[in-house]
Amino acid sequence: EVAQENKFCLNEQLKKTTEMVPAKEQPIHEQLTLSGKVEYNENDLVAFKSLLSGVVDQVRFELGDYVTQGQVLAVVKSNDVLDMIQQKRSYQNQIDLTQKQLKTKKELLNDGLASQPEVTEMEHELQSSQIEIDKINATLKMYRAIGNGQFQILAPKNGYIVQKNISTGQSITSDSSENLFSISNLKQVWVMVNIYANNLQYIKNGDAVKVRTMAYPDRIYSGKIDKIYNVFDEDEHVLKARVVLENQDLNLMPGLSADIIIDKKNVLNNAFAIPNKAKIFENNKQYVVVYKNDCAMEIKKITEIAENEEFTFVSEKFQPNDQVITRNALIIYEELNK
């Protein structure tokens, strides 16, 4: 410890931009920093597969576009829609007929001229036809026939186009497993965290975490571990955990790499906590500038016990009114060292 009092005083101009905080003793919290990636909220993602076969005539959207429910996204040439409308008509006729027959059967049952199994079988027939009609209706809701064997594909919900596999001239089939496009609102995203086996002991469901992306390193998002997937990922040799984050400003783009910072629960004991931005490095040693008043400052060497995102915990002790300089520390350090 080198006391260099009265040699250098803070002038008014330098003092305006200098910042300092009291040196305080507090519980030592170690932190883990885990890697992860921003992904879509799969509970909100709607993936559109073609239920019809045809040829794409027009595509009216780009990847990243915001679309609204019912908006025309593409035009496709196909006879499938007309076939479906005819199928629906046929099922409807079937239902009308079965309902009449069922009414008659029930009357006969009351008179003892028909059996309960016969009535039950008819009720099942009616139910199956209704299920088929509901399926066709759900499909037709996403398409609109516009004549000449053409139909429009309509957006099933509001959101952003986050995947696109459709282009003009492309043949589409109803048995393809590939999504033509996917829509998500992106207002809430998932951060998938990689947990190696040796860190599992520190991570529990509900733990508070801080998330920082490579794209916006100064922006910290607060969240919590929402789910731990107890399935080992063979490719990456990790378990995955999920953090759900609000994304109102849409800065959390799926695909971004992220750091996930978690406080370890084990508190080692107490020590003085130095904000990381107060540290000065020279010759592999660490120092801080201690402020007592404008003309009484000193350089103090520090010895690190533990560190987290915000603080370095040190073995040195500080006086009750000591403050450490967090802004302009290097300038003042150099002046005191002259």
Side-chain angles (χ1 to χ4, degrees):
E1 190 177 306
V2 189
Q4 305 211 359
E5 292 185 26
N6 302 325
K7 185 180 172 189
F8 167 74
C9 292
L10 269 186
N11 63 37
E12 218 172 297
Q13 198 180 353
L14 188 58
K15 190 165 183 186
K16 269 185 200 163
T17 58
T18 299
E19 289 169 10
M20 55 204 78
V21 297
K24 280 188 181 162
E25 208 171 359
Q26 59 187 50
I28 298 172
H29 276 290
E30 284 194 289
Q31 287 178 327
L32 273 179
T33 301
L34 303 171
S35 66
K37 202 179 207 180
V38 179
E39 295 189 3
Y40 308 111
N41 173 345
E42 283 177 23
N43 295 339
D44 175 65
L45 188 74
V46 171
F48 187 99
K49 285 186 171 67
S50 178
L51 299 171
L52 311 174
S53 299
V55 176
V56 180
D57 220 22
Q58 294 171 34
V59 177
R60 298 187 187 174
F61 67 92
E62 292 298 333
L63 191 63
D65 283 359
Y66 183 79
V67 297
T68 53
Q69 186 172 4
Q71 182 178 328
V72 177
L73 297 185
V75 178
V76 178
K77 251 190 163 57
S78 170
N79 295 317
D80 286 12
V81 168
L82 298 174
D83 292 348
M84 282 184 137
I85 291 167
Q86 281 173 339
Q87 259 182 326
K88 183 180 165 181
R89 217 170 275 146
S90 156
Y91 280 119
Q92 194 54 59
N93 293 340
Q94 184 71 41
I95 283 175
D96 295 345
L97 179 64
T98 310
Q99 276 174 334
K100 282 178 190 158
Q101 290 173 337
L102 184 63
K103 194 179 171 206
T104 310
K105 275 276 185 232
K106 281 185 174 171
E107 284 165 2
L108 290 171
L109 179 68
N110 288 341
D111 297 338
L113 299 169
S115 68
Q116 184 59 50
E118 287 177 287
V119 171
T120 306
E121 193 183 332
M122 271 197 167
E123 283 173 338
H124 281 154
E125 262 179 56
L126 198 59
Q127 220 175 355
S128 327
S129 298
Q130 191 55 56
I131 287 169
E132 291 303 323
I133 280 197
D134 290 345
K135 271 191 207 164
I136 292 172
N137 283 341
T139 304
L140 289 174
K141 228 181 176 173
M142 297 185 276
Y143 303 96
R144 186 194 291 142
I146 52 171
N148 300 330
Q150 287 186 317
F151 64 87
Q152 296 168 330
I153 295 180
L154 310 178
K157 62 173 278 181
N158 296 353
Y160 292 87
I161 301 285
V162 294
Q163 288 169 344
K164 175 179 182 254
N165 296 306
I166 180 172
S167 51
T168 307
Q170 178 183 340
S171 290
I172 56 174
T173 58
S174 55
D175 54 6
S176 169
S177 60
E178 193 175 60
N179 304 329
L180 293 184
F181 57 85
S182 299
I183 297 176
S184 172
N185 78 12
L186 293 182
K187 293 291 186 195
Q188 210 183 49
V189 291
W190 289 357
V191 178
M192 300 306 288
V193 189
N194 298 324
I195 308 170
Y196 290 94
N198 59 336
N199 287 328
L200 255 181
Q201 57 183 317
Y202 303 117
I203 296 157
K204 302 279 177 292
N205 250 340
D207 281 356
V209 299
K210 292 188 175 83
V211 176
R212 187 179 53 202
T213 65
M214 302 304 166
Y216 301 97
D218 298 332
R219 174 86 194 265
I220 299 285
Y221 294 85
S222 294
K224 61 179 186 181
I225 298 281
D226 172 69
K227 181 175 183 178
I228 295 172
Y229 295 81
N230 293 311
V231 180
F232 198 67
D233 186 310
E234 288 293 341
D235 298 331
E236 298 183 62
H237 304 295
V238 290
L239 281 175
K240 298 277 186 181
R242 180 178 77 192
V243 177
V244 179
L245 290 182
E246 295 303 318
N247 185 31
Q248 299 308 315
D249 56 8
L250 303 179
N251 282 342
L252 293 167
M253 291 168 284
L256 273 183
S257 296
D259 283 336
I260 297 89
I261 301 139
I262 300 175
D263 281 336
K264 283 188 183 178
K265 287 284 179 280
N266 56 332
V267 175
L268 304 173
N269 44 39
N270 287 1
F272 278 91
I274 303 297
N276 289 335
K277 54 189 176 183
K279 294 193 295 183
I280 297 154
F281 297 88
E282 190 171 31
N283 297 331
N284 294 328
K285 295 190 175 81
Q286 297 184 52
Y287 302 91
V288 289
V289 176
V290 180
Y291 172 93
K292 296 176 188 296
N293 63 50
D294 287 357
C295 286
M297 288 165 286
E298 62 185 45
I299 294 165
K300 191 179 179 95
K301 182 176 170 295
I302 54 170
T303 313
E304 184 180 314
I305 302 170
E307 186 184 13
N308 63 34
E309 275 291 300
E310 207 176 343
F311 295 109
T312 294
F313 297 91
V314 300
S315 55
E316 285 74 17
K317 303 288 179 207
F318 288 78
Q319 298 305 311
N321 295 323
D322 283 354
Q323 298 198 74
V324 290
I325 293 177
T326 54
R327 190 162 175 210
N328 293 338
L330 190 57
I331 299 169
I332 296 164
Y333 174 84
E334 284 168 355
E335 287 293 338
L336 291 173
N337 248 338
K338 276 181 180 172

